[in-house]
Amino acid sequence: MRYDLNALRSLVALMEERSVSRAAERLGISQPALSNSLNRLRLLLQDPLFVRERYGMRPTEKAQMIGPIIAQALQQIDAVVQEQQEFDPAHAKRQFIIAANSYVEFILIPELVVRLQKTAPGLSIRVVPFGTSISESGLVSGDTAFALGRVVDPPDNVVVQKLFDDGLHCVVRAGHPAVSNPMTKDQFERLKHVNVLPPGHLKAGLFQALDRVGLKRDLAVSLTHFLSVPDLIAETDYCATLPNRVCARLAQDPRLKLVAPPADLGRFPVELAWHSRYRNDPAHAWMRRLLRESFGEL
């Protein structure tokens, strides 16, 4: 019996996305092409496989039964093919999807792009959000090549490697009249604070650190990205408590100065994670080394 591997990939994509448009985008094909693949599978398997509902595509019992088996088989085929491929970064053409929080995007992605431009100009990256759960990043299905951030409770098919630890520092405007270095507890708690709320565990870690040392903040502004901080802090008497590597970037702005918080707020890990299907992929292994080197330079 002949099997259409592209049609089988369409089945897996639809199982995981539950949407024709999202599955087609993920596979890099048109929606009509995906529908044609699905129709061929329906004829082969004598089953509708998916039923359209108000909020997406619901798999039938047969699709739910065979979907995981097909996904595992395709992963094994990919692994065999990838092991046989040689990788030449100077001439390779490939896109890597990286799930990253705003912290990683702010401090790492520029350095990574500079390195790629020099050593692998045919490689491109697409950054997608790394939210509160690793399952939301596309890493568990293997569609996202890497996740960078704090990885909590990864499944067995995800490999996690610690890159480094980072700590926390405070940023205020240069010439701020009401702070010493380090700040006192009274100074910290009298100030208005700017809070950066990236998705994921980095956010929770800061709140837990402050609770642990008994520090309170009078929050005036909550932001979603570190890029918004410099102008806001430079024009106010507010304070922001941020990761050290972010602070190192902001310290290049003469309008700002760094001061130590009134207590040790501890450290948090930054981790690199990937699906085990890429373990022996030469291109993926090369990219993992580049990511580790880029962080090392920081």
Side-chain angles (χ1 to χ4, degrees), residues 12 27 39 46 48 64 71 76 119 126 132 137 141 143 186 193 196 203 208 211 232 251 275 286 290:
V12 173
L27 295 170
N39 287 334
Q46 296 296 297
Q64 290 176 333
Q76 292 172 344
T119 59
R126 180 162 69 94
T132 57
S137 68
S141 65
D143 296 309
D186 183 65
H193 285 261
V196 180
K203 171 182 64 178
Q208 291 166 3
D211 286 341
L232 195 158
H275 195 288
W286 182 88
L290 188 69

Side-chain angles (χ1 to χ4, degrees), residues 96-241:
F96 288 97
I97 300 176
I98 299 176
N101 57 32
S102 60
Y103 166 79
V104 170
E105 187 172 350
F106 183 66
I107 68 165
L108 174 68
I109 297 304
E111 172 70 18
L112 178 64
V113 171
V114 169
R115 287 172 175 263
L116 285 175
Q117 183 182 20
K118 294 177 179 177
T119 59
L123 298 186
S124 63
I125 59 173
R126 180 162 69 94
V127 179
V128 298
F130 183 8
T132 57
S133 169
I134 195 171
S135 62
E136 300 172 2
S137 68
L139 193 74
V140 176
S141 65
D143 296 309
T144 298
F146 304 98
L148 284 160
R150 181 73 173 97
V151 181
V152 177
D153 297 328
D156 292 340
N157 62 355
V158 170
V159 182
V160 180
Q161 182 179 65
K162 182 178 175 180
L163 294 174
F164 63 88
D165 288 318
D166 203 355
L168 295 160
H169 231 72
C170 295
V171 181
V172 296
R173 69 175 177 86
H176 196 297
V179 298
S180 57
N181 191 9
M183 273 193 284
T184 66
K185 182 176 186 292
D186 183 65
Q187 288 171 346
F188 184 90
E189 294 186 340
R190 283 178 179 272
L191 290 175
K192 297 284 189 179
H193 285 261
V194 176
N195 198 38
V196 180
L197 286 170
H201 298 277
L202 178 62
K203 171 182 64 178
L206 175 56
F207 283 110
Q208 291 166 3
L210 292 169
D211 286 341
R212 187 176 62 251
V213 298
L215 285 176
K216 294 179 171 51
R217 288 186 300 173
D218 181 2
L219 290 178
V221 183
S222 288
L223 306 171
T224 61
H225 203 286
F226 301 106
L227 288 173
S228 306
V229 171
D231 288 342
L232 195 158
I233 292 294
E235 299 297 328
T236 67
D237 286 336
Y238 294 173
C239 171
T241 303

